[in-house]
Amino acid sequence: MVPALRVRTVEDRPERADGEYVLYWMIAARRTRDNFGIQHAAERARALGKPLLVYEALRADYRWKSERFDRFVYGGMRDNAAHCAERGVTYFPFIESKPGSRMLEKLAKKACLVVTDDFPCFFLPHMVAKAGRVLDVRLEAVDGNGILPLASSASEFKTAHSFRRFVHKEIRPHLTAFPERDPLHGVDGAPMPPGASEIPEGTGGARRGEAIWEEFFAGSFGDYAAPKKNAAERGSSGLSPYLHFGHIGSHRMVGDILASWDPAQVTPPDNGRREGWWGLGASAEAFLDQIVTWRELGFHFNGHRPDYDRYESLPDWARTTLAQHAGDAREPCYTLEELDDGATHDELWNAAQGELRREGRIHNYLRMLWGKKILEWSASPEEALDNLIELNNRYALDGRDPNSYSGIFWTLGRFDRAWGPERPIFGKIRYMSSENTARKMRVREYVETYA
């Protein structure tokens, strides 16, 4: 059974006893395996003796919509259609040609209940809340975002250290409550409703995401903790876009890492220590700290702070120091258009922006530098935040995500502490420079590739 802590009733209407099927509205966990949402829908279908209809849509009007993002979703839709066909479950893809189709309402009219994904970011919370008001049947949202359910925390955490202490205290029972690998067993397919869309060729998808993970886990995972000295070499798994679009879940990766690990043999500390408490090697612990601590820190923050994307959500100390330096001279000062074009005096920053535009990503370390320089070169810290959000969400495949907002706001002090010495523009915000970055790692090949 899906843990009760992960199931939220959006609108407490009764189930429709004479409904024709259980409807799973797939909006965030866009995969058919290792997915608490589709597992819950399948459980309800079996309990009610009804078939299951999986409905995955792509809106025509979401902000920052682009061919790059749509193609990534198409790849996932094709994989989902193929796997549902293998299991005899009806999969209904719908690609809006114009806003206002109301397809969800049409499908829900014949549903016993509707199950969807709980996701604390972008337009999805508002869309689900609106659906709860409009649909005339029970709507439940299932949290499959991370190892720790969003409902397990009572408020947001200010730092990674404080969240890590929470992880140490709370994670053990959730390590034995993972989603089923293949939850569609014993479920019948519903008759295909009219109006399904043909799915164009795509670039993302669960099959590709799982293949990338398996290759990474069998290969460079063992060197994950080693310092990365060449900016032209990828130092990460490359899975962030697949996590964002829900084509793979963190449970799959954490499960593989802990497959031969016995949690009963390890007693987590209570001091927020970053490493050494899993009883695993350095690379495994470094990766787990990223995917459990840092990734889920952002999800829990967004889940408790609807203003997660607003300047006012920065910690008091950060807004204070930025306000004290708001009048500092900014030379140079670039417009959004100049930043977008990579038309600055800094060739390393231009290369990072070039990689973002060309490939929809930035090297992990250089992404931090990219954000810090936008703070330095924008007319105000508020404008810097607007520029960061716009450029990241316009181009990044993993943009519009809690983890992505964590990175953006970290640039301005979220999840960090005050640093010295106090500097112009930055005040007590952590400072980074291209010169120091070039001393830490080889950047020439990277610049030649992307600038």
Side-chain angles (χ1 to χ4, degrees):
M1 297 289 292
V2 172
L5 198 59
R6 292 186 179 273
V7 181
R8 177 174 65 90
T9 301
V10 180
E11 198 64 41
D12 194 13
R13 295 191 174 95
E15 295 179 358
R16 185 180 289 119
D18 60 349
E20 297 180 11
Y21 46 72
V22 171
L23 179 64
Y24 174 49
W25 178 27
M26 179 183 282
I27 62 172
R30 293 176 178 262
R31 59 185 182 275
T32 53
R33 290 185 281 263
D34 303 299
N35 177 355
F36 277 126
I38 202 170
Q39 179 179 327
H40 181 65
E43 287 173 357
R44 296 303 302 134
R46 287 190 290 266
L48 294 169
K50 299 288 185 177
L52 176 64
L53 176 62
V54 177
Y55 166 57
E56 183 178 10
L58 181 61
R59 287 176 57 152
D61 61 342
Y62 68 89
R63 188 179 178 190
W64 297 297
K65 180 181 175 71
S66 71
E67 184 181 354
R68 169 181 287 166
F69 304 151
D70 285 356
R71 286 204 317 269
F72 212 87
V73 174
Y74 296 153
M77 295 176 102
R78 282 177 166 255
D79 285 354
N80 291 334
H83 188 248
C84 284
E86 291 171 5
R87 293 294 181 268
V89 171
T90 306
Y91 173 79
F92 185 88
F94 184 70
I95 302 168
E96 274 193 336
S97 57
K98 60 181 180 179
S101 65
R102 306 183 74 173
M103 181 58 73
L104 174 64
E105 292 178 57
K106 297 172 186 175
L107 297 177
K109 288 290 184 184
K110 297 182 179 181
C112 301
L113 77 155
V114 180
V115 176
T116 191
D117 306 316
D118 222 350
F119 187 77
C121 194
F122 200 28
F123 64 81
L124 274 68
H126 306 287
M127 180 175 70
V128 171
K130 180 180 179 181
R133 296 190 297 269
V134 170
L135 301 184
D136 62 352
V137 69
R138 186 177 183 84
L139 174 61
E140 296 177 341
V142 180
D143 167 19
N145 295 293
I147 307 302
L148 286 155
L150 297 178
S152 67
S153 61
S155 62
E156 78 273 19
F157 294 85
K158 305 296 186 183
T159 64
H161 177 82
S162 62
F163 184 68
R164 198 177 286 113
R165 292 187 66 176
F166 175 76
V167 172
H168 291 168
K169 180 182 177 182
E170 299 290 338
I171 196 170
R172 191 186 296 276
H174 303 295
L175 293 175
T176 55
F178 276 33
E180 292 183 16
R181 177 76 180 118
D182 192 354
L184 295 180
H185 55 85
V187 180
D188 295 325
M192 176 66 82
S197 302
E198 286 194 23
I199 309 170
E201 293 288 341
T203 57
R207 292 181 181 178
R208 177 64 178 151
E210 291 182 359
I212 292 172
W213 162 246
E214 290 165 5
E215 180 181 359
F216 172 73
F217 189 51
S220 56
F221 177 82
D223 297 323
Y224 186 80
K228 309 303 186 292
K229 296 296 186 181
N230 188 348
E233 297 176 358
R234 301 254 61 86
S236 65
S237 66
L239 284 163
S240 186
Y242 296 89
L243 283 164
H244 167 66
F245 284 101
H247 294 163
I248 193 170
S250 58
H251 284 93
R252 167 66 198 280
M253 292 181 273
V254 173
D256 285 351
I257 295 169
L258 301 182
S260 59
W261 178 75
D262 182 1
Q265 296 178 358
V266 179
T267 301
D270 61 2
N271 60 0
R273 194 172 73 218
R274 179 180 303 177
E275 56 191 20
W277 66 272
W278 290 94
L280 298 168
S283 288
E285 298 211 357
F287 189 87
L288 287 169
D289 193 56
Q290 289 296 317
I291 198 167
V292 177
T293 301
W294 279 102
R295 181 173 183 270
E296 297 191 21
L297 171 63
F299 276 84
H300 284 255
F301 188 94
N302 285 28
H304 292 294
R305 292 291 298 264
D307 63 344
Y308 66 86
D309 59 348
R310 303 292 299 275
Y311 186 83
E312 292 73 22
S313 68
L314 285 169
D316 292 343
W317 73 264
R319 286 185 286 114
T320 296
T321 195
L322 289 169
Q324 290 170 346
H325 291 270
D328 292 356
R330 286 156 164 79
E331 296 177 1
C333 184
Y334 294 109
T335 65
L336 174 63
E337 291 71 25
E338 289 170 325
L339 294 170
D340 193 341
D341 290 339
T344 80
H345 69 284
D346 187 326
E347 62 177 7
L348 180 55
W349 190 92
N350 294 344
Q353 175 66 12
E355 183 184 20
L356 176 62
R357 287 184 55 141
R358 187 190 307 182
E359 299 190 12
R361 66 184 184 188
I362 303 178
H363 182 282
N364 275 5
Y365 188 83
L366 295 179
R367 187 193 292 231
M368 296 186 289
L369 173 69
W370 174 85
K372 292 291 185 180
K373 302 309 283 187
I374 290 178
L375 171 58
E376 183 176 346
W377 296 335
S378 297
S380 69
E382 292 87 352
E383 182 177 300
L385 177 60
D386 290 343
N387 291 340
L388 282 161
I389 292 175
E390 180 60 34
L391 293 175
N392 184 77
N393 289 358
R394 183 182 293 178
Y395 295 115
L397 281 164
D398 63 356
R400 309 151 310 282
D401 185 269
N403 199 39
S404 187
Y405 278 99
S406 292
I408 288 171
F409 276 82
W410 175 87
T411 298
L412 285 80
R414 181 184 291 175
F415 305 142
D416 208 354
R417 61 174 177 84
W419 288 75
E422 194 162 348
R423 298 174 182 272
I425 301 174
F426 286 82
K428 297 177 182 178
I429 300 292
R430 186 194 302 246
Y431 176 77
M432 294 179 69
S433 72
S434 298
E435 293 75 19
N436 285 342
T437 300
R439 283 191 285 269
K440 290 181 179 179
M441 60 195 332
R442 299 190 298 277
V443 300
R444 177 50 51 192
E445 182 182 352
Y446 180 85
V447 169
E448 291 174 351
T449 302
Y450 293 113

